[in-house]
Amino acid sequence: MNNTNQDLFNQAKIHIAGGVNSPVRAFAGVGGVPVFISRAKGSKIYDTNGGEYVDYVGSWGPMILGHSHPHIIEAVKKAADDGLSFGAPTPFETTIADKICELIPSIDMIRMTSSGTEATMSAIRLARGYTGRDKIVKFEGCYHGHSDSLLVKAGSGMLDIGEPTSKGIPIDFAKHTITLPYNNKQALIDCFEKFSNELACVIVEPIAGNMNMIIPSQEFHDTLRKLCSDTGTVLIFDEVMTGFRVNLGGAQACFGITPDLTTFGKIIGAGLPVGAFGGKKEIMSHIAPLGGVYQAGTLSGNPLAMRAGIAMFDLLTQDGFYEKLSTKVQYLTHNLEKLAKEAGIGFTTTQLGGMFGMYFTDNGLPQNFDDVNKCDTKKFAKFFHGMLKRGVYFAPSAFEVGFMSSEHSQEDLDFTLAMAKQVFTEMAQA
Ligand SMILES: *Cc1c(COP(=O)(O)O)cnc(C)c1O
């Protein structure tokens, strides 16, 4: 007899803080007990009791080829046979750097890290070192990993110094971070008017995927690019989530914007721990050993991760990959909206490439963090648990997005919709 999830969670909580190694996994946003996973294949994950779920989390983005893709697994097995880590350069690092620079024209040079957090943290240090300025700008509802400068929200006045969103972050650190409302052109103009030549960088999720999903206006991006250029402020696109997820050129290709630096993670490691930051040669040349900005990593450019990433690019660059992926996403979101409408439930969606957002609201598509916060999280929790019970695994939070993989079949999508129809009906009757 297998242990239940409750047993496993209780055991985990003895020696792991909160029973999880990353907070969102604890299901705090939806209540209940997390599902413990034993293995995954293609579009499905399997729990320790043999339960099967169509998975729309995909390890929070990396599994764009589905789980345990044979081409990736083969690359990782071969790499493992050759040794796990050397702490010395390998040609595989050059191959993946060449590949990313070829696919993303704004990137002349890149450096690999072991997580998205390290990538954004390093990009910010680089921007500060390059400009000789301290202040940085971020946006409400965007997430850039858990480094000190970035766990900051707006202060009481819009252009005041920030306040830490986590204990353990000195106010003195937070005061260098300005937080603006997302997708708001006037707030940008006001901020640059006040601080014009004091800003080291602006870091932005070019399409937000950590406050559910928001695609900002072209005008927002055009204004941001112009203000940064005019003031010598480094524009950092955090594409840890959107990179190779919305299309092959990232969100920057969608908006036709050339950022100064870009950060990556998630997909580029195909499920192994990886991040990267890169951009203009003029800026990247300030990193040690070329320049005076220190950045390093014992396992950075790890051969397993690099070879997994290279194998993944083989498949992502095949003709029509993203068209097929986004057709599936559109089929799912369009039909979910239709079913919700039939059941009389206020529900809307947005999507691009292989990611999508779902909102329980009667007020149309959210455009910023305030709008997202007005959505009905209780309804989301009901939907989430209704779907989970029926074998569909969405992210356990109303503030996260959904991810499609190339391995999701028409049958998976239709199964998901059939279950959603039941759940929406149940919700409408409650
Ligand atoms: C996931 C994420 C990060 C952090 O990456 P980790 O690998 O979890 O450290 C940073 N920025 C964005 C936009 C992300 O989605």
Side-chain angles (χ1 to χ4, degrees):
M1 182 70 190
N2 281 325
N3 287 320
T4 64
N5 288 316
Q6 184 69 65
D7 293 337
L8 292 169
F9 197 35
N10 291 344
Q11 285 161 19
K13 282 194 275 195
I14 298 171
H15 293 302
I16 302 173
V20 291
N21 283 308
S22 197
V24 71
R25 298 179 198 168
F27 275 37
V30 289
V33 175
V35 179
F36 279 67
I37 306 301
S38 60
R39 66 190 177 87
K41 178 75 190 164
S43 60
K44 307 261 175 58
I45 52 174
Y46 299 87
D47 68 21
T48 52
N49 295 305
E52 176 182 307
Y53 306 82
V54 179
D55 178 24
Y56 294 102
V57 178
S59 189
W60 302 97
M63 313 318 293
I64 193 167
L65 300 175
H67 294 280
S68 310
H69 192 287
H71 187 60
I72 306 291
I73 298 300
E74 190 196 337
V76 173
K77 282 184 173 163
K78 272 193 193 151
D81 282 341
D82 290 340
L84 298 182
S85 181
F86 318 119
T90 63
F92 302 109
E93 292 158 78
T94 309
T95 305
I96 202 158
D98 291 351
K99 193 78 219 168
I100 294 174
C101 290
E102 176 198 322
L103 292 171
I104 313 276
S106 73
I107 302 186
D108 306 324
M109 279 183 167
I110 193 157
R111 185 162 273 183
M112 308 303 298
T113 64
S114 298
S115 70
T117 294
E118 279 179 74
T120 56
M121 182 184 81
S122 305
I124 282 170
R125 181 178 305 143
L126 175 58
R128 284 174 162 156
Y130 170 72
T131 57
R133 305 171 182 173
D134 290 339
K135 283 195 170 54
I136 67 170
V137 174
K138 65 183 278 289
F139 297 92
E140 263 168 12
C142 287
Y143 177 69
H144 305 291
H146 63 273
S147 71
D148 284 346
S149 306
L150 293 166
L151 289 183
V152 174
K153 64 177 179 188
S156 44
M158 179 93 80
L159 292 177
D160 276 355
I161 60 171
E163 286 173 23
T165 55
S166 162
K167 289 191 177 170
I169 296 174
I171 303 279
D172 280 348
F173 289 11
K175 79 180 182 197
H176 297 296
T177 304
I178 296 155
T179 305
L180 301 179
Y182 191 66
N183 200 13
N184 182 326
K185 175 182 152 183
Q186 192 56 44
L188 283 176
I189 294 171
D190 294 346
C191 176
F192 275 82
E193 215 152 75
K194 178 162 176 186
F195 294 109
S196 58
N197 295 322
E198 292 174 61
L199 302 173
C201 65
V202 176
I203 185 164
V204 63
E205 281 186 77
I207 291 170
N210 285 286
M211 49 172 146
N212 210 318
M213 180 168 168
I214 293 176
I215 303 178
S217 69
Q218 182 69 44
E219 204 184 14
F220 171 74
H221 273 304
D222 290 342
T223 307
L224 178 58
R225 177 64 276 186
K226 181 168 190 321
L227 289 168
C228 285
S229 300
D230 289 351
T231 55
T233 305
V234 176
L235 176 57
I236 305 173
F237 268 22
D238 180 357
E239 299 228 41
V240 169
M241 183 184 287
T242 53
F244 310 105
R245 167 56 65 181
V246 293
N247 65 32
L248 211 45
Q252 53 196 270
C254 303
F255 290 101
I257 299 282
T258 305
D260 302 308
L261 294 176
T262 302
T263 56
F264 295 105
K266 300 195 168 111
I267 284 182
I268 62 168
L272 285 150
V274 176
F277 65 104
K280 289 199 174 115
K281 186 173 176 187
E282 185 198 331
I283 303 177
M284 292 299 287
S285 305
H286 284 72
I287 303 173
L290 293 178
V293 177
Y294 193 68
Q295 194 278 332
T298 302
L299 297 177
S300 293
N302 173 267
L304 263 64
M306 296 302 99
R307 289 169 76 170
I310 293 164
M312 191 211 43
F313 278 117
D314 291 342
L315 300 177
L316 295 190
T317 50
Q318 283 181 353
D319 270 355
F321 180 90
Y322 288 92
E323 286 77 2
K324 279 184 221 150
L325 195 64
S326 76
T327 302
K328 288 185 210 179
V329 171
Q330 284 167 26
Y331 178 81
L332 182 69
T333 53
H334 171 82
N335 283 296
L336 282 173
E337 280 187 11
K338 206 172 115 199
L339 292 170
K341 198 168 175 196
E342 282 165 15
I345 288 175
F347 175 84
T348 183
T349 66
T350 189
Q351 45 74 29
L352 193 69
M355 65 191 270
F356 58 95
M358 304 183 285
Y359 323 84
F360 286 90
T361 175
D362 292 309
N363 305 323
L365 202 57
Q367 297 299 321
N368 55 44
F369 192 45
D370 280 348
D371 290 352
V372 174
N373 272 310
K374 285 181 199 137
C375 294
D376 192 331
T377 51
K378 286 206 183 86
K379 276 199 185 129
F380 175 81
K382 275 196 184 139
F383 175 73
F384 168 81
H385 280 293
M387 295 303 282
L388 186 71
K389 208 167 65 185
R390 290 169 173 83
V392 180
Y393 191 83
F394 284 115
S397 162
F399 296 90
E400 304 289 348
V401 295
F403 297 105
M404 187 71 72
S405 85
S406 55
E407 296 304 295
H408 283 76
S409 63
Q410 187 63 39
E411 201 187 339
D412 290 331
L413 303 180
D414 287 332
F415 172 76
T416 304
L417 291 166
M419 296 305 109
K421 184 171 179 164
Q422 292 182 11
V423 175
F424 284 143
T425 307
E426 203 175 87
M427 287 169 70
Q429 285 162 354

